[in-house]
Amino acid sequence: MDNNRKMNVLVLGASGAGKSTLIKAISGTEIITGVGEGNTQKISVYESKTWPIRFIDTKGFEYNIIEQMKTIRQVKKYTKGQVTNEQGEDLGIDAVWYCVEGTARRMFTNNIELMNKSIKGWKNIPVFAVITKSYSETDIPENIEAINNAFAKTKSVNLKGIVPVVAEEYHINEEVSVEPKNIDELCIKTLNCMDEAKEIAKENLDRMVLEQRRYTANAVTAGAATTAAVIGAVPFEFADAIILVPLETSLTKGIFKIYGVDFSGQLVTGIVGSAMITNIAKSIIKIATDKIPVAGAVLNGTVAAVIVEALGQAIIAAAEAIYKGQLDPDKIDMVVDFIGNKVKESKYVGSTVTFLEENAEKLQGKKAKEIYTAIKGSIESAVSEKELSNE
């Protein structure tokens, strides 16, 4: 098998089913999406940097029969053309992901028929039913049964599997959220349905799983850090930073869940209650207060965001070490020390004071969230430049 070849996956489903959000979660490509409506108006191709998968995104199936026919013709025209890109790579269809919204609680046989008409020229093509927005664990068995019943009426579809997923973190309320899940499972099952995919070495699959989970965990960390900037801007002493404990606790649990790590409440408490992390934050504030004319609340919020970002990255590193068997989650002191040292060595912690000093005048009147975003952008830009210089 040519290891450079990518598997081409046609993504179909009703408008608003979450196709674009799913593609974004895997490819990392920003795709404009809306709430309750479809936004993809033409076929677009997106490539994942993590998985050997190329996504072919389509206009969603609408209730209007004329729009349905347009979508069918659009897909047929694309697949019939056997389009190739400038590198001569085949952009034909290897598999189909048919997206069904889990929160809809129902499955329309008519939509499967529309899908079948779209891929009629591709007999026996592997099809995966993807239950998007699977926030409720109790609804999943019912949704799977409904999908099985609907596909049973269309014998010609080669249904390979049904995978419930959550593509991006979903907040039920301020304290409860559903973490992204089963994205790597969907990708692996898709790759394994091809003979060529079976040749992918286990280490490559493990690497891709880790990269996907890292991408997801980074997104969750960024969201938590942004929230911390707002929470932290409320006047308080960092010695009393208990205000951030619920957020840090949720972040810690969320990242461990993304990596499938079994963890105890004692481990989470040890990480969140680490004196080293609080002391690092206090030292940044002390140094910055003496040198930088930024309002105290704004500075607190900025440092809160930076510390939560650094903590998230450290927990990601610990979760990966546990996943690889390099760190034992039952040895709590060792894990806490590992995370504390990662926070201490963090590029975010090390660069914050320098950034604030060099940009003091530009930061006047800015909110904590804006300053944190600027710090993060500066660090990521520096990392990108370093990577380019090493190529």
Side-chain angles (χ1 to χ4, degrees):
M1 168 183 167
D2 180 3
N3 290 326
N4 293 320
R5 182 178 183 273
K6 293 197 174 189
M7 190 169 180
N8 303 311
V9 176
L10 179 68
V11 186
L12 297 171
S15 291
K19 301 189 306 298
S20 296
T21 301
L22 178 62
I23 293 172
K24 175 188 172 184
I26 299 173
S27 70
T29 303
E30 190 67 36
I31 301 170
I32 299 175
T33 59
V35 178
E37 60 181 2
N39 286 273
T40 304
Q41 299 301 315
K42 61 180 182 179
I43 287 182
S44 301
V45 179
Y46 303 94
E47 296 196 9
S48 171
K49 295 179 180 179
T50 301
W51 302 88
I53 298 176
R54 183 182 291 111
F55 303 96
I56 302 161
D57 193 16
T58 62
K59 183 177 183 295
F61 292 122
E62 307 284 354
Y63 293 108
N64 184 303
I65 190 169
I66 295 177
E67 293 301 318
Q68 290 174 358
M69 296 309 297
K70 284 183 180 179
T71 301
I72 292 173
R73 285 197 299 269
Q74 183 187 61
V75 174
K76 281 185 174 180
K77 181 178 179 181
Y78 179 86
T79 57
K80 186 178 180 180
Q82 285 288 288
V83 182
T84 57
N85 62 14
E86 294 178 355
Q87 288 73 41
E89 295 174 306
D90 178 23
L91 296 189
I93 311 301
D94 297 317
V96 172
W97 286 358
Y98 187 73
C99 295
V100 181
E101 185 178 350
T103 55
R105 299 294 302 275
R106 55 182 176 175
M107 178 71 182
F108 295 107
T109 302
N110 181 56
N111 280 350
I112 296 180
E113 292 175 354
L114 293 174
M115 178 203 71
N116 203 29
K117 289 179 181 177
S118 299
I119 61 172
K120 191 174 181 179
W122 297 82
K123 295 181 179 179
N124 298 319
I125 187 171
V127 175
F128 289 85
V130 184
I131 309 176
T132 61
K133 308 177 187 180
S134 291
Y135 308 133
S136 171
E137 291 288 340
T138 57
D139 288 346
I140 290 175
E142 181 180 340
N143 286 334
I144 290 176
E145 181 180 4
I147 292 172
N148 270 321
N149 291 337
F151 272 93
K153 298 176 182 179
T154 311
K155 302 294 185 180
S156 59
V157 175
N158 181 17
L159 182 63
K160 286 290 187 180
I162 302 173
V163 184
V165 304
V166 175
E168 61 181 10
E169 186 179 31
Y170 178 74
H171 295 278
I172 296 175
N173 55 44
E174 291 182 356
E175 298 181 354
V176 181
S177 62
V178 181
E179 287 78 26
K181 64 182 179 183
N182 293 343
I183 296 174
D184 48 277
E185 176 185 346
L186 173 61
C187 292
I188 289 175
K189 284 187 174 181
T190 303
L191 290 171
N192 282 340
C193 77
M194 294 186 66
D195 291 337
E196 295 91 339
K198 294 178 182 178
E199 297 178 14
I200 297 177
K202 183 180 183 300
E203 58 266 26
N204 284 336
L205 279 177
D206 287 342
R207 173 184 55 78
M208 288 186 286
V209 167
L210 282 175
E211 287 183 7
Q212 176 61 57
R213 294 182 183 186
R214 189 181 306 132
Y215 175 83
T216 303
N218 280 332
V220 171
T221 297
T226 301
T227 301
V230 177
I231 296 175
V234 177
F236 70 97
E237 293 293 331
F238 227 97
D240 300 320
I242 193 171
I243 192 172
L244 293 175
V245 168
L247 178 67
E248 292 175 342
T249 299
S250 176
L251 175 64
T252 303
K253 291 180 178 179
I255 292 175
F256 280 154
K257 287 179 181 178
I258 288 170
Y259 280 87
V261 171
D262 290 328
F263 59 90
S264 64
Q266 190 177 357
L267 175 59
V268 175
T269 300
I271 294 169
V272 175
S274 172
M276 181 186 293
I277 296 172
T278 299
N279 289 336
I280 291 172
K282 289 167 66 177
S283 67
I284 295 176
I285 289 178
K286 186 178 185 304
I287 295 171
T289 300
D290 295 338
K291 296 183 178 182
I292 305 159
V294 178
V298 173
L299 182 57
N300 276 352
T302 302
V303 173
V306 168
I307 290 299
V308 168
E309 177 75 47
L311 176 62
Q313 296 300 329
I315 296 169
I316 289 172
E320 292 194 3
I322 293 171
Y323 180 88
K324 295 175 181 177
Q326 299 168 349
L327 197 60
D328 185 351
D330 293 329
K331 296 180 178 179
I332 295 174
D333 290 343
M334 186 178 294
V335 177
V336 172
D337 287 344
F338 178 94
I339 291 174
N341 287 327
K342 287 292 183 181
V343 172
K344 187 177 180 180
E345 299 165 0
S346 170
K347 58 190 176 184
Y348 295 95
V349 171
S351 301
T352 295
V353 173
T354 300
F355 180 89
L356 292 173
E357 286 179 332
E358 293 177 350
N359 298 275
E361 294 183 3
K362 298 178 183 178
L363 301 177
Q364 294 302 309
K366 298 288 186 181
K367 295 181 179 179
K369 178 180 175 181
E370 295 174 312
I371 297 176
Y372 154 69
T373 300
I375 291 172
K376 187 173 182 181
S378 174
I379 292 171
E380 291 178 350
S381 177
V383 171
S384 296
E385 290 178 5
K386 184 177 180 180
E387 289 175 348
L388 287 172
S389 66
N390 290 333
E391 290 182 354

